[in-house]
Amino acid sequence: MVETLPAGRFHHQRLDFRRWVPAFVSSHRTLFTALWVVGFLSLFVWQRNLIDGFSIFGRPVTRPMPTLRPVAFNLTDFGAVGDGVTVNTEAFERAVLAISKLGKKGGGQLNVPPGRWLTAPFNLTSRMTLFLAEGAEILGIQDEKYWPLMPPLPSYGYGREHPGPRYGSLIHGQNLKDLVITGHNGTINGQGQTWWKKYRQKLLNHTRGPLVQIMWSSDIVITNITLRDSPFWTLHPYDCKNVTIRNVTILAPVFEAPNTDGIDPDSCEDMVIEDCYISVGDDAIAVKSGWDQFGIAYGRPSMNILIRNLVVRSMVSAGISIGSEMSGGVSNLTVENVLVWSSRRAVRIKTAPGRGGYVRQITYRNLTFDNVRVGIVIKTDYNEHPDDNYDRKALPVLEDISYTSIHGQGVRVPVRIHGSEEILVKNVTFRDMSVGITYKKKHIFQCAFVQGRVIGTVFPAPCENLDRYDEQERLVKRSASQNVTDIDYDF
């Protein structure tokens, strides 16, 4: 027999339940609130772990490689081994070949996972993304017999260090369109120590190769990677258009790493270099456009280039240079928001008779010099030539160069502009300059054969070659002679 409860008893229990629930909720409201907050924060932390790659237990989580193309491959799919010993050249070549067949579908992405991937030089292809994961390092093989020889650059006509052919770059591309090299700050390491030693010992018969060289290409993006220890110039875009270089770290020893320029835009057009840190054994950035008669004949200027938001260092040469190979011309270049620290020179223009070409419409703005031997340099006797067949009458034109908001400390010579009777430096403007100097020499602001003006207050006192204007750009004093020389190379 099924036992049933009397109606009154059931009603009594229901009333007790109604009284118990509000009391329970009221007494445990704080606990419920705390549990809700903990749950929400746990969800937030979990989502942040997915985005930023951090673990709440302190163990790093590998960030996923984003897919930037319709198809993505892993280097290991092609048999690569990242032990730093296995040579992976064939794996890179097979991967690039696979991506080259996907051009009509939008290209492909090659993911290089964490590991040390030793390789000889290899070529890239159009519509390709090379993605280096955090902890990934592409290593250049050090034996030069694995590095192919290439013809001299047409605007140089010479291997740069030796006549005849030159070594190719570790990562190379030519006649490409739509190329991306990026990552989670993975590294391309040229292992240049052997190259530098052989160069100093004069054991090389050909010019050393760059680390990364892209030629005759357009729509190039290089971002979020580290480049280090190049055999020669580090990143060399040659005759390229529409190039963006952003968030790149470039490193080499500041001494005994010869000619390891950071970035060398060479006959390039429409280019941005920004948000980079560069510390190398030569110029951090050197804008070029060909060498003497070969550059004049090739006739491709570097133009429409913006360099901004950099921290750079060069103990041997300069932070930002133009030239000396500028025979195709350099124009419409802006350098702004740059810190040059612990360097031999900060910003330099260098050329010579025989170069031809021009440097004009150059704007330097908001520069900071910290512990620099010479701040601003224009040099017109940089007499290094490919051969004796250059035209001695091919004189470069230097004009329309402005320096605004130049500040710093610990500078020995703030300005050294060395024009000549053959090459007059014309229409140079200084405005808002205050640089703390370490030497109290009379001619601390040095000039020769320069024409231009100073607007407002400039410290230290400018040279007599320049016209003086007040802050409202009203003429205060006309220079008696632009040909006065007070260049002093003793300090």
Side-chain angles (χ1 to χ4, degrees):
M1 183 177 69
V2 178
E3 183 178 2
T4 61
L5 294 174
R9 184 178 176 183
F10 175 77
H11 180 69
H12 176 73
Q13 287 185 344
R14 185 174 62 186
L15 291 176
D16 289 342
F17 179 76
R18 287 178 176 178
R19 287 196 301 270
W20 175 80
V21 169
F24 177 83
V25 171
S26 176
S27 63
H28 294 77
R29 182 170 296 167
T30 302
L31 177 61
F32 282 145
T33 302
L35 290 174
W36 184 87
V37 171
V38 170
F40 176 80
L41 290 177
S42 298
L43 178 62
F44 175 80
V45 172
W46 174 73
Q47 289 178 327
R48 179 173 178 173
N49 290 341
L50 294 179
I51 297 172
D52 293 338
F54 294 100
S55 167
I56 59 175
F57 301 107
R59 293 190 298 270
V61 177
T62 302
R63 290 183 288 181
M65 296 187 188
T67 300
L68 306 178
R69 301 283 182 180
V71 179
F73 300 101
N74 289 323
L75 184 61
T76 51
D77 296 340
F78 300 90
V81 180
D83 58 6
V85 177
T86 303
V87 178
N88 296 291
T89 313
E90 292 184 1
F92 278 106
E93 290 174 344
R94 287 194 294 266
V96 173
L97 178 61
I99 292 172
S100 70
K101 298 176 181 179
L102 300 172
K104 294 183 180 180
K105 298 180 180 180
Q109 175 173 318
L110 176 59
N111 293 327
V112 181
R116 304 179 77 240
W117 310 93
L118 184 66
T119 181
F122 64 92
N123 295 324
L124 303 178
T125 189
S126 293
R127 295 176 179 81
M128 174 181 178
T129 297
L130 178 65
F131 190 97
L132 281 73
E134 183 178 6
E137 187 172 22
I138 297 175
L139 299 173
I141 199 165
Q142 292 179 296
D143 190 341
E144 67 266 23
K145 72 181 182 183
Y146 291 97
W147 289 62
L149 291 175
M150 302 182 64
L153 294 167
S155 60
Y156 288 71
Y158 192 90
R160 192 60 183 84
E161 294 177 335
H162 293 276
R166 61 195 173 94
Y167 288 107
S169 56
L170 177 64
I171 296 179
H172 188 82
Q174 30 185 97
N175 301 306
L176 305 184
K177 186 175 179 62
D178 183 11
L179 172 68
V180 178
I181 303 176
T182 187
H184 287 148
N185 201 32
T187 298
I188 302 173
N189 186 342
Q191 301 199 106
Q193 294 81 357
T194 300
W195 293 92
W196 307 332
K197 182 178 180 180
K198 289 181 178 179
Y199 171 78
R200 290 193 298 268
Q201 294 176 345
K202 299 182 179 180
L203 296 177
L204 296 172
N205 296 319
H206 306 285
T207 299
R208 294 165 289 154
L211 186 64
V212 178
Q213 182 172 248
I214 310 298
M215 304 171 60
W216 303 305
S217 300
S218 63
D219 304 330
I220 311 298
V221 176
I222 300 174
T223 182
N224 298 331
I225 60 170
T226 294
L227 307 175
R228 68 176 307 139
D229 295 342
S230 173
F232 189 56
W233 299 344
T234 303
L235 177 53
H236 184 212
Y238 180 82
D239 199 351
C240 291
K241 294 183 179 180
N242 193 20
V243 180
T244 299
I245 300 171
R246 178 185 299 123
N247 292 332
V248 174
T249 300
I250 302 179
L251 304 172
V254 293
F255 293 116
E256 298 185 354
N259 307 110
T260 50
D261 295 12
I263 305 173
D264 286 15
D266 203 339
S267 295
C268 287
E269 182 178 348
D270 300 336
M271 186 172 185
V272 175
I273 302 171
E274 61 184 356
D275 304 325
C276 296
Y277 177 86
I278 306 173
S279 177
V280 289
D282 208 295
D283 295 314
I285 294 178
V287 182
K288 304 176 181 291
S289 64
W291 199 9
D292 285 3
Q293 69 270 31
F294 303 104
I296 294 171
Y298 193 69
R300 301 282 199 283
S302 282
M303 58 188 297
N304 305 334
I305 298 176
L306 173 60
I307 300 170
R308 63 184 177 188
N309 307 336
L310 306 184
V311 177
V312 298
R313 184 188 189 199
S314 173
M315 291 292 288
V316 173
S317 193
I320 311 291
S321 284
I322 300 174
S324 70
E325 309 93 327
M326 40 61 65
S327 301
V330 177
S331 67
N332 196 21
L333 169 70
T334 297
V335 179
E336 63 182 9
N337 305 333
V338 174
L339 167 64
V340 185
W341 69 283
S342 190
S343 296
R344 185 175 180 86
R345 305 171 189 89
V347 293
R348 176 165 68 159
I349 298 171
K350 46 186 177 177
T351 186
R355 291 287 190 271
Y358 52 83
V359 176
R360 62 190 181 211
Q361 298 171 348
I362 311 298
T363 301
Y364 297 96
R365 182 169 52 234
N366 194 20
L367 307 183
T368 302
F369 307 153
D370 184 7
N371 188 25
V372 172
R373 181 170 180 174
V374 185
I376 293 169
V377 182
I378 299 179
K379 185 176 177 62
T380 60
D381 59 351
Y382 202 86
N383 289 308
E384 186 180 11
H385 305 281
D387 55 40
D388 290 333
N389 297 321
Y390 67 94
D391 182 1
R392 273 73 172 171
K393 297 180 180 179
L395 302 177
V397 174
L398 305 182
E399 61 185 4
D400 303 333
I401 304 166
S402 68
Y403 302 89
T404 303
S405 296
I406 312 298
H407 303 283
Q409 62 181 1
V411 179
R412 298 181 72 183
V413 179
V415 176
R416 178 178 287 157
I417 300 178
H418 193 176
S420 67
E421 292 187 43
E422 294 180 304
I423 306 171
L424 179 66
V425 182
K426 296 181 290 185
N427 195 23
V428 177
T429 301
F430 290 91
R431 185 169 195 163
D432 182 21
M433 179 174 178
S434 178
V435 175
I437 56 179
T438 58
Y439 279 28
K440 307 297 182 181
K441 296 278 186 173
K442 179 180 179 181
H443 297 305
I444 204 74
F445 198 121
Q446 302 179 7
C447 301
F449 295 93
V450 56
Q451 173 267 321
R453 60 180 182 164
V454 173
I455 300 175
T457 302
V458 166
F459 180 85
C463 56
E464 298 177 2
N465 308 56
L466 304 173
D467 299 335
R468 299 296 302 271
Y469 289 76
D470 64 17
E471 293 287 356
Q472 287 71 44
E473 301 190 26
R474 295 174 298 203
L475 180 65
V476 174
K477 180 182 178 181
R478 183 78 67 184
S479 171
S481 173
Q482 285 82 44
N483 300 335
V484 174
T485 299
D486 56 15
I487 301 295
D488 182 1
Y489 282 106
D490 292 335
F491 67 100

